Amino acid sequence: MQLEWARHVAGNEGTVLILAPLAVSRQTIREGEKFGIPVSLANHPSDVDGPGLYVTNYEKLISASWESFDFSVLRGVVLDESSILKSFTGKIRRYLVESFRNTSYRLACSATPAPNDHTEIGEHAEFLGIRTRGEMLGEYFLHDGGSTSQWRLKGHAESLFWRWLASWAVYVRQPSDLGFDDGDFVLPPLNLHSEIVESGTTLPGFLFPVEAKTLTERRAARKSTLDLRVARAAQLIADRGGRWVVWCDLNSESEALAKAIPGAVEVRGSDRPDQKEERLEAFSRGDADVIVTKPTIAGFGLNWQHCHQQVFVGLSDSWEQYYQATRRCWRFGQERPVDVFIVTSDLDGAVLSNIERKETKANEMATSMVAHMEETMRENIGRLRSSKKTSPRPHSIEGEGWEIWHGDSVEVIAAIADDSVDYTVFSPPFADLYTYSEMAADMGNVTSRAEFRRHLGYLVGEMLRVTKTGRLCSFHCMNLPTFKWKGEEIGLYDFRGDMIRLFRRYGWIYHSEVCIWKNPVTAMQRTKALGLLWKQIKKDSAMSRMGIPDYVVTMRKPGENAEPIRHSASEFPVSRWQEWASPVWSDINPSNTLQFRSAREERDEKHICPLQLDVIERCIALWSNPNDLVASWFAGIGSEGYQAIK
């Protein structure tokens, strides 16, 4: 499939580079010969000397010899076994993303995508230029605190996430997943055999034989039963004969197996790349009947359908490695039933049960993934479509002294008369920090802060037009934390300054601002921010910081106010004015909000954090007359409208 894709992308004059694991490069060339698609080996960048298809392995690409290669000559690139993206260091992963950022056609192929692994999906989306991992997390996932891996799909975003994924990815196990006949893609049986050796011993600290549970116990169990497991594997191979792939997990297992099995070819991690490649090739050609190696070395990409017998003498907890290893033989083109023997001791039950549990879970996820993506994948065969909903057609409801619109504020404000609004107060989306809705036009659904500023700019200019001369607009904001998972340094982003500069660019005057105190202990408990943790003071206070306050910034439309806002001494005594004129409001009750929990639907986890009614009350009382028209262009659950009417 990837060769056919590359052939179409290259055409008569284009160049496509295929990246593959070690030893898969030569195999790709053989596959090309089988299908009549010429592929050339590129050990060095100078080997790419004209239009056509070229293949190299990842190890060569990230070597110094390719640093001067002009990647702009490529029309397309293929990542074979692209799930290894998550195995690379951040530096190498970034190198791949940057190297092919301007390549017109990018294809990533993986036999083991993990639907619950946001890291892997995010890395693929970033490599393909869809969006960064951080942008994906911000829109569709929630972080429940603690480990950086504790992300989960937002309840309301589940179907949206799968539709988004299906707009740029296809997940198929066989042709019937897309409604076609499976034909020759039906594989022969995969027979799993459990071979358990009796250890005749106990783990340190135990009186009776028990299954190893902890990592330390498992290591001790494997060390004490190594000879027994190796002997059983060697006997299986001697009794059955034929070709075998022998998988191990430890160097000691590999060494013992190579000695115990006559004629076995051993491939170790410490071998030179050319040695590994030649030994893997020897088994692929049929020059050797038995190969001993690890899934981390030979578990990706190789076609070994000429072999139908495998034995695992050591298992790690990685289901992906186990899955990939078995698929070297049990793959399309295999004509015989594949027998896989798993040799463990009576102390190793936890490892085997863990693999079996993950296998069951993976099968359930694969079925769920196909079900979620099937409709969209079929729709997308031949055409692309947006994954987000379009904005609803604006419509309004009116009552005594109020009017509320359901629709995009940029569309609604266009119908508002010039110089008709007396005062505006609102809390805008905080750029890409939160997801507020699934609508494509929502200003929170952006891929960058620059895009947010462009979106908001459409509204800021219109707000100036509809506001009466000399009148005011107040917005609530805060400076934003920056995160490593967004590809940023840990620190702060001057969102407040960005907002002020944006309003000034459209003609507003920077009029006033007040800082609203927030409790840093509450913020620490809610966000687990590194800089607010007390333990950070003891570890390295260079990373400690103060809490992030809120601000209410007020802008003024140029010109004289034709309708002065006057207050009586009884309404506004000196004491109140002195309190409200303070540059810091330290008495705002953070809990004095409308009841947002009752505004949620059952699975709704979109961001709802209404502005405090105290803040809105002070702004409206200070900067509007009775019966003035007060506007809020981001209604949320209606806090500003509620307080204005009150």
Side-chain angles (χ1 to χ4, degrees), residues 79-107:
L79 298 191
D80 188 11
E81 298 296 345
S82 58
S83 64
I84 68 174
L85 272 174
K86 65 183 178 184
S87 303
F88 286 149
T89 64
K91 181 179 179 180
I92 296 174
R93 201 161 48 234
R94 178 57 52 190
Y95 174 75
L96 289 173
V97 171
E98 293 298 331
S99 296
F100 302 107
R101 183 177 299 281
N102 297 317
T103 304
S104 299
Y105 296 91
R106 283 164 272 178
L107 175 66

Side-chain angles (χ1 to χ4, degrees), residues 64-84:
S65 61
W66 284 81
E67 289 181 357
S68 60
F69 181 70
D70 181 9
F71 289 98
S72 66
V73 304
L74 300 176
R75 181 177 291 175
V77 62
V78 179
L79 298 191
D80 188 11
E81 298 296 345
S82 58
S83 64
I84 68 174

